[in-house]
């Protein structure tokens, strides 16, 4: 029995996950099968990289037969799924030789402040924007924050949802420059129906809004490697969306990519719908068009909170995303070091549409596979996923751009919601803008206990969101309730004693203070 370990800063639409995974199942490709059947020399791996053991070939054949009988998905989805499983069983892996890793030059990871200024001529700006499409990854539910339906409809600020803010941003661009930037939403089967109803409210806006679904793949039952839906799990639990790496084939298979090309569109800006910093940037778009870059990943300087995230490297003369899964054990601490690997992937991506068409048609986008184990009603299942950032190495003239931290403002938990609803930010024309009164470039660190996890509970525990302009860190635990107009400064700890309710009174000012009971206020 053999194991695969995988670690990725996937930042999927559903959650920002640092996923460490060791999954010892016999369905995983094992080199000893390969050695015994193919290579007389166990040290010689060259014959077995894409060769499947006989037992795995039988598994794949049985799986192919079972999948062919699934009527809920298209032929494209069936072939895409079988292709992914085949690659997984063949042990196709990305091995990195540490000594060959080079730090990317400024030509490969371009500093944002070196980008040329955008042309001042409004007609030139309109011409730039008319080549652009904005695509938001909208496949995730808000379940981790206690909400039902698409996460993009959680209210972020002033009663506006993620989706409201995105629409307002693009509306203002189209109005200001007289351009026609469309918005695409890539849904999953989990979010499709709700999103279709929600977008109706934007019918009067000056934006074309298109929705399409990413692929729907069957979960694999670990015991016999057959699809869960063929075992009687016909509801949504039998299926999964295979990660945002699926955005490229789904754009093609949906017909959306061909339609966009026919309208003269050239670039798509792809980002998570819950990243409030992921707004259209004319300097980046202008740079890509001028330099004919087929792919651009926005990266930003690491902090200690980001040390496990993927980073860009130069490898064999090409730019490549390096994930911690590919790092030998003896170099993990070096990988996490902020000194050597100073940047990480924000999952804001800019990609040339013609290049997507070329690579998808050639079946050339073979991103690293992320095995994700789950349990459904007591049955151990496996879902295989890919991430869009790993596609960078397949595109010509691909680059990274080292952007300001302000372009990475994800809302993954109620602690993030506290930040963006506070006086640390303002909202204008759909843009969430950091308050210049905050002198510290870093945001305060905020830890809220499980009592605050669900959005509804979070909101009822604050009469109003406290002022945190001068806050360094906040840790809240237990049954804590905040009054209105509370001010938090420096390092603050608020911890209710077990079984007690702790109320912070209206207009309280807590500066470098620990509060455990009413007498501490």
């Amino acid at each position: 029995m053999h194991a695969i370990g995988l670690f990725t800063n996937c930042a999927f639409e559903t959650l920002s996950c640092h996923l460490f995974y060791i999954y010892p199942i016999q369905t995983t490709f094992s080199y000893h099968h390969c050695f015994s059947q193919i290579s007389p020399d166990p040290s010689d791996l060259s014959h077995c990289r894409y060769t499947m053991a006989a037992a795995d070939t039988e598994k794949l054949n049985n799986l192919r037969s079972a999948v062919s009988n699934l009527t809920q998905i298209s032929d494209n989805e069936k072939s895409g799924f079988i292709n992914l499983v085949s690659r997984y069983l063949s042990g196709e892996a990305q091995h990195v030789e540490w000594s060959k890793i080079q730090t990317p030059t400024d030509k490969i990871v371009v500093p944002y402040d070196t980008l040329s200024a955008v042309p001042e001529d409004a007609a030139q700006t309109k011409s730039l924007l008319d080549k652009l499409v904005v695509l938001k990854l909208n496949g995730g539910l808000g379940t981790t924050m206690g909400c039902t339906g698409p996460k993009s409809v959680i209210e972020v600020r002033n009663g506006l949802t993620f989706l409201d803010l995105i629409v307002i941003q693009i509306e203002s661009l189209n109005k200001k420059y007289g351009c026609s930037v469309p918005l695409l939403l890539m849904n999953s089967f989990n979010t499709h129906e709700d999103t279709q109803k929600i977008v109706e409210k934007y019918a009067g806006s000056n934006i074309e809004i298109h929705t399409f679904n990413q692929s729907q793949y069957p979960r694999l039952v670990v015991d016999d490697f057959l699809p869960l839906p063929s075992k009687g799990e016909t509801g949504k639990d039998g299926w999964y969306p295979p990660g945002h790496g699926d955005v490229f084939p789904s754009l093609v298979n949906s017909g959306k990519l061909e339609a966009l090309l026919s309208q003269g569109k050239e670039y798509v800006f792809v980002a998570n719908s819950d990243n409030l910093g992921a707004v259209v940037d004319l300097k980046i778009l202008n740079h890509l068009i001028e330099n004919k870059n087929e792919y651009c990943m926005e990266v930003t300087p690491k902090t200690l909170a980001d040390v496990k995230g993927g980073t860009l490297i130069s490898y064999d003369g090409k730019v490549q995303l390096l994930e911690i899964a590919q790092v030998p054990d003896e170099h993990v601490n070096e990988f996490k070091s902020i000194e050597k690997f100073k940047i990480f992937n924000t999952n804001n991506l800019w990609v040339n549409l013609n290049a997507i068409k070329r690579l998808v048609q050639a079946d050339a986008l073979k991103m690293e596979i992320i095995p994700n184990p789950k349990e459904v009603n007591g049955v151990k299942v496996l879902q295989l996923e890919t991430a869009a950032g790993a596609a960078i190495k397949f595109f010509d003239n691909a680059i990274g751009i080292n952007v300001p931290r302000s372009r990475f403002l994800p809302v993954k938990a109620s602690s993030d919601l506290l930040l963006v609803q506070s006086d640390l930010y303002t909202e204008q024309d759909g843009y969430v803008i950091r308050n210049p009164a905050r002198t510290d470039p870093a945001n305060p660190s905020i830890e809220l206990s499980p009592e605050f996890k669900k959005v509804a509970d979070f909101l009822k525990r604050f009469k109003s969101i406290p002022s945190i302009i001068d806050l360094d860190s906040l840790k809240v635990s237990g049954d804590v309730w905040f009054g209105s107009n509370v001010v938090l400064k420096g390092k603050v700890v608020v911890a209710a004693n077990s079984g007690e309710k702790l109320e912070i009174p209206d207009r309280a000012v807590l500066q470098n203070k620990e509060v455990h009971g009413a007498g501490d206020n």
Side-chain angles (χ1 to χ4, degrees):
M1 192 173 291
H2 293 257
I4 280 184
L6 190 62
F7 201 129
T8 181
N9 176 34
C10 56
F12 280 175
E13 191 56 14
T14 47
L15 72 166
S16 176
C17 49
H18 296 292
L19 174 69
F20 181 63
Y21 165 54
I22 296 180
Y23 202 42
I25 56 173
Q26 289 177 324
T27 50
T28 302
F29 169 83
S30 64
Y31 280 125
H32 82 266
H33 285 161
C34 178
F35 301 148
S36 62
Q37 298 193 28
I38 301 160
S39 176
D41 176 5
S43 66
D44 179 11
L45 307 186
S46 61
H47 299 288
C48 61
R49 179 161 180 178
Y50 299 105
T51 307
M52 202 177 298
D56 290 337
T57 301
E58 185 179 352
K59 277 179 196 148
L60 188 64
N61 287 337
N62 291 340
L63 180 65
R64 187 181 281 113
S65 175
V67 167
S68 69
N69 294 320
L70 297 176
T71 57
Q72 301 95 322
I73 55 176
S74 68
D75 288 343
N76 278 332
E77 287 168 313
K78 289 175 184 178
S79 62
F81 174 67
I82 293 297
N83 187 17
L84 194 61
V85 176
S86 176
R87 288 177 53 216
Y88 173 69
L89 286 174
S90 297
E92 183 182 317
Q94 178 63 32
H95 302 286
V96 174
E97 288 183 41
W98 199 254
S99 59
K100 291 169 68 173
I101 290 175
Q102 294 182 314
T103 302
T105 63
D106 284 358
K107 188 177 179 183
I108 292 174
V109 176
V110 181
Y112 181 82
D113 56 13
T114 67
L115 299 182
S116 301
V118 177
E120 290 184 13
D121 180 59
Q124 284 181 278
T125 304
K126 177 185 183 301
S127 174
L128 275 179
L129 286 168
D130 279 337
K131 295 174 181 176
L132 182 67
V133 181
V134 174
L135 191 160
K136 296 291 181 172
L137 302 170
N138 190 54
L141 296 168
T143 47
T144 53
M145 295 174 73
C147 299
T148 57
K151 187 179 180 185
S152 57
V153 298
I154 292 175
E155 288 188 7
V156 182
R157 204 181 161 95
N158 303 335
L160 298 172
T161 67
F162 289 106
L163 200 49
D164 290 336
L165 293 171
I166 292 162
V167 169
I168 293 166
Q169 289 164 21
I170 301 175
E171 269 187 327
S172 78
L173 268 181
N174 286 345
K175 183 178 179 182
K176 182 175 180 179
Y177 295 105
C179 55
S180 178
V181 177
L183 172 63
L184 269 69
L185 300 172
M186 184 172 84
N187 302 320
S188 67
F189 59 87
N190 288 315
T191 61
H192 175 69
E193 285 185 24
D194 285 340
T195 302
Q196 291 295 93
K197 294 171 189 168
I198 291 159
V199 296
E200 288 175 10
K201 75 173 184 174
Y202 307 118
S205 71
N206 66 351
I207 313 177
E208 278 185 43
I209 300 178
H210 304 271
T211 63
F212 67 101
N213 274 17
Q214 71 175 116
S215 301
Q216 177 176 326
Y217 285 176
R219 285 173 161 154
L220 280 168
V221 178
V222 168
D223 285 345
D224 56 14
F225 222 60
L226 289 174
L228 189 56
S230 70
K231 311 290 285 284
E233 185 60 70
T234 54
K236 285 187 175 181
D237 283 348
W239 307 88
Y240 74 97
H244 51 57
D246 185 57
V247 65
F248 305 119
S250 292
L251 259 178
V252 175
N253 294 338
S254 66
K256 296 297 180 188
L257 187 130
E258 202 58 52
L260 294 167
L261 287 172
S262 70
Q263 294 172 19
K265 304 301 180 186
E266 293 181 19
Y267 277 86
V268 59
F269 173 43
V270 181
N272 292 346
S273 65
D274 64 6
N275 180 4
L276 295 172
V279 301
V280 171
D281 189 297
L282 287 167
K283 286 175 75 172
I284 294 176
L285 178 60
N286 185 50
H287 182 88
L288 302 181
I289 291 172
E290 278 192 351
N291 293 278
K292 297 182 170 55
N293 302 111
E294 287 190 346
Y295 185 111
C296 168
M297 174 188 291
E298 292 186 39
V299 293
T300 200
K302 272 187 185 182
T303 68
L304 291 174
D306 314 307
V307 293
K308 295 173 182 176
T311 191
L312 286 182
I313 57 170
S314 288
Y315 192 81
D316 284 341
K318 294 199 80 171
V319 63
Q320 185 169 315
L321 182 66
L322 176 66
E323 301 277 12
I324 201 167
Q326 301 160 274
V327 178
D329 290 345
E330 64 270 24
H331 294 290
V332 166
N333 287 336
E334 192 179 346
F335 176 85
K336 292 180 180 179
S337 160
I338 294 177
E339 282 72 41
K340 179 164 183 177
F341 297 100
K342 299 180 178 181
I343 53 174
F344 78 101
N345 173 22
T346 65
N347 213 43
N348 297 347
L349 310 171
W350 302 72
V351 194
N352 181 279
L353 293 170
N354 275 303
I356 294 172
K357 180 179 178 180
R358 180 187 80 238
L359 291 168
V360 169
Q361 288 181 344
D363 192 25
L365 294 174
K366 298 187 184 300
M367 286 90 85
E368 286 78 17
I369 295 169
I370 304 162
N372 191 357
K374 300 276 185 180
E375 194 167 299
V376 178
N377 300 325
V379 178
K380 285 183 167 39
V381 297
L382 180 64
Q383 48 193 60
L384 303 176
E385 304 169 5
T386 60
I392 189 169
K393 63 185 176 185
F394 300 108
F395 288 83
D396 293 338
N397 204 14
I399 60 168
I401 293 182
N402 194 350
V403 298
R405 184 79 186 194
S406 58
R407 292 190 58 76
F408 184 66
L409 186 60
V411 178
K412 304 293 183 186
S414 54
S415 53
D416 300 321
L417 212 49
L418 175 54
L419 282 174
V420 299
Q421 289 191 352
S422 74
D423 56 354
L424 198 55
Y425 289 92
T426 56
E427 180 269 319
Q428 186 175 355
D429 293 334
Y431 298 92
V432 177
I433 302 161
R434 202 165 187 270
N435 190 336
R438 168 82 173 181
T439 53
D440 187 339
N443 277 347
S445 68
I446 296 177
E447 276 183 64
L448 301 177
S449 62
E451 289 84 354
F452 292 80
K453 183 178 179 181
K454 294 182 178 179
V455 173
D457 293 337
F458 164 83
L459 291 172
K460 73 184 181 185
R461 286 178 178 273
F462 291 96
K463 273 194 195 174
S464 67
I465 300 298
S467 168
I468 60 171
I469 284 283
D470 298 312
L471 180 69
D472 297 322
S473 65
L474 172 66
K475 187 170 184 178
V476 181
S477 57
D479 188 12
V480 177
W481 299 74
F482 287 82
S484 59
N485 302 309
V486 172
V487 178
L488 305 175
K489 298 182 177 186
K491 295 181 178 180
V492 178
V493 176
V494 184
N497 294 322
S498 180
E500 292 182 10
K501 179 179 181 180
L502 176 55
E503 296 187 52
I504 305 301
D506 296 349
R507 292 177 293 283
V509 178
L510 305 181
Q511 182 168 5
N512 295 319
K513 194 165 187 179
E514 287 198 19
V515 179
H516 296 276
D520 297 334
N521 287 334

